[in-house]
Amino acid sequence: MDDGGYRGVPPRRPGWQEARDRLRRRQTVWRRVRRTLYVVLGLGMFVPVAAFVIGYFMVAVPDPNALAASLNQPVTLYYADGSTLYTKSTAESHTVVTWEQIPQSMKNAQIAAEDETFMTNSGFDIKAILRTVWNRVTGGTGGGSTIGQEYVKKATGNDDPTFSRKFVEMVESYKMTRTYSKEDILTAYLNTVYFGRGAYGVQAASRAYYNEDVSQLSNEQAALLAGLVQLPAQADNPAYQQRRYTYVMGRMLANHWLSQAEFASAQFPVPVASTAKNGGSSLADRQYIVSQAFAELAQAGYSEQSLTARGAKVYLTITPDAQQAAEQSVAKVMAADKEYPDEGSALVSANPQTGEILAYYGGDGSTSYDLATTPQQPGSSFKPYVLAAGVRTQPDKIGLNTVYDGSDNQTIAGQLVHNSDGEGAPQITVKDAMTQSVNTVFYRMGADVGVSNVRQAAWDAGIPKQITTSLGARYDSLQNDDADGTGNGTTELGISIGQYAVRPIDQAQGYATFAANGQYVPLHMVARVTDDNGNPIYGFTTTPKPAFSDDPATNSAIAATVTQSMTSVASSSGDGLSGARPNAAKTGTAQFGDTGHNSEAWMVGYTPQVVTAVWFGNKKQPAAIYGNYHNGKGKNRGYDVYGREEPGYIWQAYMDDYLKGKPAQGFPAAPDLTTPTTTEPPPTSDTPTPTSDSPTDTTSTSEPPSSRPGDTFIPPSCDENGCTTEDTPTSVSRHRPVRG
């Protein structure tokens, strides 16, 4: 009798066949995946090995003697008219020495600095290479080259940041270890590597830094020289010297190349003073042109070593006449201030339509750093970027005739903001506020549009998002410092009146964008480079691009509005151009702490043909700045310098000289994009009596009025002995060198 149970094969649940089919499909897929992985793994092992073997027989090992000869080729820099600015020949700065002449201290130091496994590796370090690959993939930094690979890189002049180049370099380095002894390789490397100060090879470096023969180098001196190879462009940066010296000494101790007693008693080996290398110029200040040209090419991927290996001819955009005008304009004003020897100036002038730098003055040659690439607080000269942000983000509300409350002592976003000497007006247009540099107006405007929009407008105009200073420090711009100086992502409202440091070359770039009607063209001083035979190596080819908007009309309107806001500044400050030539300009001043004196003063301005940024301050450290040249209001000597004074007179003299004989050009009109309101704006005067900026509780001070508003001051005759007639809460600029 059947009781409903089952015998034999158990009953199957519904869908069992589908489940079994899915399992079989999964098994088939995984089987194929495993087989594919086996093939890929096999190829991954076989292909690199095969490529390495093939490459080994195809590559040529660099000849140390040939490389030494190539490094003796001169590199020549030419002005825009073809005349010679500078010839850099390494014939006198490159001396070959033997293994026996190089002291053990130098050999140990170089190995400790760059390749601790040098004596035992096969020309490459696989762990370091894998680490480098991982860094590249994840966006990190750090290299994995051995001394052999570095030598190959210098011998071939190939420094392309590609994996294929790195692979070939690794093969060449391996083959070199099979061809030459470790002693030969290290000797060749030490004879050819660049140490900075124009010194190729360790013997030249010993002379350049210590006036010593290489055989006399101490452990400490060797450690410093070995450390400089990593970044020779910063070889005279004291902070960089200390950092690299400390690192190399530590690695020498760890590898038992120094005893604990030697390490404990070691003292930093201060190098001798650097001798300015001026090439074809007798003026020390032109060394900064040379340095900036090489820095520009290095940023484009052309190292100084690779240019030397090809006997490069570098054609600059600098014109001799403009450069001479810049130097003479600075000298004329600075002659009156000779009793303040630590005061100095920087000037950068360019064609805003092409981006070509016409004149470049980074200082008088008395500092190892370039003042034109050293960040300084811009004060009120930053206000045009605030207006650009306002017109872009609120075009219906913010324009030249928009009326603001410009009265003194306003609390804005929790900050008490002052105008000059308590001056101001309850109702003032944006145009007049820019002319009179009314802090409360632009602080309020910054609060209305937001600091992020102000910062973005400055970036779009040309202020770089990241800055590498002339001292080698790299940081994110227009924000508060982190402990390491890289920025913590916080920007305060003080940006609206110049709280954050910028470089003179960057102010020239930003104002050039306004002058070019909103078209951004990178400023540059290298036009093209050829090798010794005239074959092209590099050429500047960047085309203009709209800075503030993809819509041409909007982009032009923003730039034109900013330009028109500044057309009365120079004339009202007594710095107008000859013949009442149309110009747009802005002064700026930053206060020295809470002393009531000033530490930074600026004049930045342009015509359609030329833009010029001038900074004036202390060359060595933030300090109070005083002038004797001309004071339109107050005492004649020892007055506090504002932007309208020393930097304004330098700007005026240079611009008049450069523009002499050139046709006067006007600026495009600025369309009014604002929505009409019932508020009747006060009349706008072309030459209003300006107010002076007094220091605010944040960072900026404005400019005192000229003694003759609307008139152009005719300066007294000044020479090296002075002038024959006499009439005139900020934070420290970060990354400025502090000495004494």
Side-chain angles (χ1 to χ4, degrees), residues 10-84:
R12 293 168 178 163
R13 296 178 181 176
W16 69 273
Q17 184 67 42
E18 291 82 354
R20 186 176 65 177
D21 291 343
R22 285 196 299 271
L23 177 61
R24 288 176 176 173
R25 285 195 297 271
R26 284 198 297 268
Q27 291 173 338
T28 300
V29 170
W30 279 111
R31 187 161 51 249
R32 291 173 179 170
V33 170
R34 286 198 302 273
R35 290 173 179 171
T36 302
L37 289 175
Y38 294 151
V39 172
V40 170
L41 183 60
L43 290 174
M45 297 176 63
F46 173 76
V47 171
V49 171
F52 193 95
V53 172
I54 294 171
Y56 181 89
F57 290 103
M58 294 183 65
V59 299
V61 177
D63 182 346
N65 294 324
L67 177 59
S70 73
L71 287 177
N72 285 330
Q73 296 187 73
V75 174
T76 306
L77 279 68
Y78 299 95
Y79 286 111
D81 66 354
S83 59
T84 300

Side-chain angles (χ1 to χ4, degrees), residues 492-561:
E492 299 177 9
L493 194 51
I495 189 177
S496 302
I497 50 177
Q499 175 176 342
Y500 299 104
V502 296
R503 304 176 303 178
I505 192 173
D506 299 330
Q507 282 290 70
Q509 175 72 80
Y511 278 58
T513 301
F514 296 131
N517 210 29
Q519 296 296 313
Y520 169 79
V521 186
L523 296 193
H524 59 283
M525 69 167 58
V526 179
R528 61 189 178 93
V529 181
T530 70
D531 65 16
D532 190 40
N533 296 317
N535 300 311
I537 296 176
Y538 164 81
F540 179 83
T541 57
T542 304
T543 56
K545 66 177 183 179
F548 306 111
S549 174
D550 292 333
D551 176 61
T554 301
N555 183 64
S556 176
I558 294 170
T561 300

